[in-house]
Amino acid sequence: MPGAPLLSPFPVPGWDTQAATPQALSTAGGLLVPHDGEPVADVRDRPDRWARLTLVAGAVRRGLPVLAWGTGAALAGRVLGARVQPGGPAGDWAEVPRGAEVQAWQGEVPLLWRTGRVTAWAGAKLPDPLKADFLAGLPGATARTPGTPLEALGGEAALRALLADFYARARADTLLGPVFGAHVTDWDAHLDHVTAFWVTLLGGAPLWRGNLNRVHAGLGVRGPHLERWLELFGEAARAHLPPEAAALILARAGAMGARLGPPRGGRGNGPHPGRVP
């Protein structure tokens, strides 16, 4: 299919594919999400799975044809808001996404379902007729919808590198360092949690659920803390991103700070054991 390659996160025997990256979605003809046997229901400590979810979400947002099977079908279901359960025909499996048409069941598991341009098969091995049907339906040129802000930043990997740099700066800072030191004990878990928040905020997979104001209530954060937070975040963003991408994420950060922050010199709140941004 000239000019519109079929993408896959890893090579699949019998398929002619190219490596799937967030950047490649803009010129792709479709996306495969093959079975890999990895978890889907719980990916809190798996940045690689977050990246895969973000990739699938980007394809769905762009209106690309997506063929997913096995745990790939569970990933597609999760992206579409379905609950994921363990112990299906190929490991984790997704319940029926809202609006999807189920065409085959295996017990309680929706074995084959379709919605929009997504086709999902819960089994670990994809039937040949489904492969042929998918290939026959691939257009020479696929209508595109705009990509997500996360894609504009370069995807989850670029975002995570930015956040790691920011936290290195913040931990060494005389104003912010003590705040983080008082509330964060596991920095790897904290980076995972905050990456999930930003992935969700920037239009990627819905990995974070919570109330931003409630999470930060009572942390003792005052106006000067937020100003310094934005200053260091800006330094990290400009160090890792092109100017337009840095401006994009800094606009989001500024809006978030406006929601959270008391006025300059404001009283703030007392200590609280919750996570800090």
Side-chain angles (χ1 to χ4, degrees):
M1 196 165 50
L6 184 61
L7 305 182
S8 176
F10 53 86
V12 182
W15 293 84
D16 181 13
T17 62
Q18 295 184 15
T21 65
Q23 295 80 5
L25 292 175
S26 62
T27 57
L31 175 70
L32 301 182
V33 193
H35 172 67
D36 60 10
E38 295 293 323
V40 180
D42 185 357
V43 297
R44 287 173 294 179
D45 299 321
R46 293 291 302 271
D48 58 321
R49 303 306 277 171
W50 294 347
R52 188 69 53 81
L53 283 164
T54 300
L55 182 72
V56 177
V60 171
R61 288 175 183 273
R62 287 180 177 274
L64 287 174
V66 174
L67 177 61
W69 64 95
T71 48
L75 286 166
R78 177 165 175 167
V79 163
L80 292 166
R83 182 177 300 176
V84 177
Q85 304 285 358
D92 289 359
W93 59 277
E95 297 181 4
V96 184
R98 180 175 297 180
E101 176 189 0
V102 181
Q103 298 181 339
W105 291 86
Q106 182 172 317
E108 64 176 348
V109 178
L111 188 60
L112 172 62
W113 54 266
R114 303 177 193 264
T115 181
R117 309 191 80 177
V118 178
T119 299
W121 173 261
K125 183 177 180 181
L126 184 72
D128 289 338
L130 277 183
K131 174 181 178 179
D133 181 62
F134 180 75
L135 289 174
L138 290 178
T142 303
R144 300 287 187 262
T145 54
T148 65
L150 181 64
E151 292 173 9
L153 265 62
E156 191 261 349
L159 173 65
R160 191 177 181 88
L162 184 163
L163 292 172
D165 185 1
F166 162 71
Y167 283 116
R169 297 169 190 258
R171 293 172 71 179
D173 187 71
T174 56
L175 180 62
L176 295 184
V179 177
F180 283 106
H183 298 286
V184 180
T185 56
D186 186 339
W187 278 97
D188 289 338
H190 184 71
L191 183 59
D192 288 345
H193 180 78
V194 177
T195 300
F197 165 77
W198 277 102
V199 165
T200 303
L201 181 68
L202 294 170
L207 306 176
W208 186 87
R209 292 179 176 84
N211 183 297
L212 188 64
N213 291 83
R214 187 177 303 149
V215 167
H216 294 86
L219 291 176
V221 174
R222 303 171 185 269
H225 293 101
L226 285 167
E227 290 178 1
R228 184 59 175 158
W229 187 96
L230 289 170
E231 182 180 350
L232 294 181
F233 195 83
E235 291 177 2
R238 287 185 286 271
H240 287 266
L241 301 174
E244 290 185 1
L248 185 155
I249 196 170
L250 290 177
R252 297 295 180 96
M256 184 176 68
R259 287 175 53 196
L260 293 175
R264 182 179 178 88
R267 186 178 65 182
N269 297 303
H272 186 278
R275 290 188 175 97
V276 291

